[in-house]
Amino acid sequence: MIRFDAVSKKYPNGTTAVDEVTVELAEGAITILVGPSGCGKTTTLRMINRMVEPTAGTVSLRGRDIREVDAPELRRGIGYVIQHAGLFPHRTVLDNIATVPLLLGWGRKKARARAAELLELVGLPAEMAKRYPNQLSGGQQQRVGVARALGADPPVLLMDEPFSAVDPIVRAELQTEFARLQKELHKTIVFVTHDIDEAIRLGDRIAVFRDGGRLAQFDTPERLLSHPADDFVAGFVGQDRGIRRLSFVQAAGLPLRDGPVLPVTSPVTAARALDEPWVLVVDDARRPLGWTPVADLPESGTLADAALVPLGHTFSLVGDSARAALDSALLSPARLAVGVDADGAVVGVADAYELTAGAAPARRTDAAGSTVAADSAGGDR
Amino acid sequence: MSDGEPLVRWQWIADHGAELADYTALHLRLGLLPVLFGLLVSVPLGILCHRRRRLYPPVLTVANILYSIPSLALFMVFVRYTGLTEQTVMIPLTLYTLSVLVPNVVDGLASVPEPVRLAATAMGFGTVRRVLQVELPIAVPVVIAGVRVAAVSSISLVAVGQLIGQGGLGYYITRGLQLDFPTPIVTAIVLIMLLALATDALLVLAQRLLTPWSRNRVTTA
């Protein structure tokens, strides 16, 4: 694990990049350093592999003060991924990935075999091995950057805004892929971003920095949203943190009611008898077909004759969060979220008020935990 | 030139084939060895200037002042030390290449993208290894662009060395002028131009072979 002990970085011109940070980053977890630009998060990251030397305090890696280790040697044991990948333009993709193994003296053959493995691990086809970086798209370059950082299978990975330079669609793809990789690899990852959404999506723990290089809060994403330590953190996390927090509440526990749901074979009279403005029409397996406004129903016949309005989207009780459920309610023409089971059959409906009331108890339980000290947040609480 | 004398007497060229070949080889050596020596000086000097930016302006100024000294004057200075030898021609030509090669080495190193330099350091390259294995290879296209200019100008300047008796193909120019006979002059000029063009073409080829990565910009997969 990585430990910062009263670490500061002050420059000769008087600016303080990092101010007395004490924090312990858990082994095998993703710790996100987040904050506005110039808050010292990248400086903090670079102190882990001695790209920046602290002016006070100590950084230790698995109990050993990193100043005891020769810097290039230390760095070969720590993977590093940066924003614009920083691939070597004069080396093929394969040789880029083989960089650290070659530096460690593995020999060309073994290093290349390892690189070929990593190419596959990051989801790139084998024929890319012989290409040069300028023949790849930004997203592909970033994947190679991750593969290169994993070259010698280092236990620690430092990532400095690795997904910031690609478009949002590719970014989401890379984030998903990254989360999958980490499930397999269990690296100790320190990840810098200025994007709080990315932090919440990927982090096991999040360290929020404020101007002047001070640690404002160190906590789980969920507690950061539910219990920001102060106004700065609350502001940085954003106006919609209440809604975002719903991402951490499982939809499975939400209260649903039967609601106005009728099979497509029902007579229109049955729909009128419900005395509701909208009726959800389902097929014989109870899969939703669409909403129909009762006022516009034909005089007679079945619901098969009714004009259907699209659903917006449903939410699944298996896997979706309360946030998806709330979104489903907001997008529904009837203002009712439709919950479905694993087979896509309707389980029940709820409106936005019912959903948020249902999500609230979860909030009270997690409020039982302690709140967070701003400057001296430890890792294992 | 006397009336009725043609610009080129082909028979003269045929008669002097072997001698022309010798002088061409000599000319090439006098012109290109200075570029090689210049490169050997410029690469370390350029690396130094790149790493210690404050050194660069004075170094560049000295190189430019050297370049501004007329070659004839410089030859005369070195005659005092090295006599009427090949070195007397090659030393000034070497000095002249510096004003092109040093800035190109510095610019080439500056063309290495910052993320690449950062990534190399973060991956555990020591300084020397980083310069040799990452920065210099990436600087190659810019350095070769400088070598092309230096080589062509050096090849054409060799002829001036004839004033101290070491001019390669320049020999035929003075000879032709003395004899009032245009054929050797025209032949020498054409050969010098051909040498310059061939050298340039070879350098372009060398660059393509050395830097396959600088071609084929983005093709999407």
Side-chain angles (χ1 to χ4, degrees), chain A residues 76 91 94-112 152, chain B residues 129 133:
Chain A
R76 287 171 203 170
R91 292 190 177 175
L94 203 69
D95 285 345
N96 261 284
I97 302 174
T99 302
V100 179
L102 286 173
L103 281 174
L104 290 170
W106 285 22
R108 196 157 287 270
K109 201 172 163 198
K110 193 175 162 210
R112 286 197 169 153
Chain B
R129 235 169 152 163
Q133 295 184 10

Side-chain angles (χ1 to χ4, degrees), chain A residues 107-121:
Chain A
R108 196 157 287 270
K109 201 172 163 198
K110 193 175 162 210
R112 286 197 169 153
R114 166 71 180 158
E117 252 172 61
L118 285 167
L119 194 65
E120 195 186 328
L121 184 71

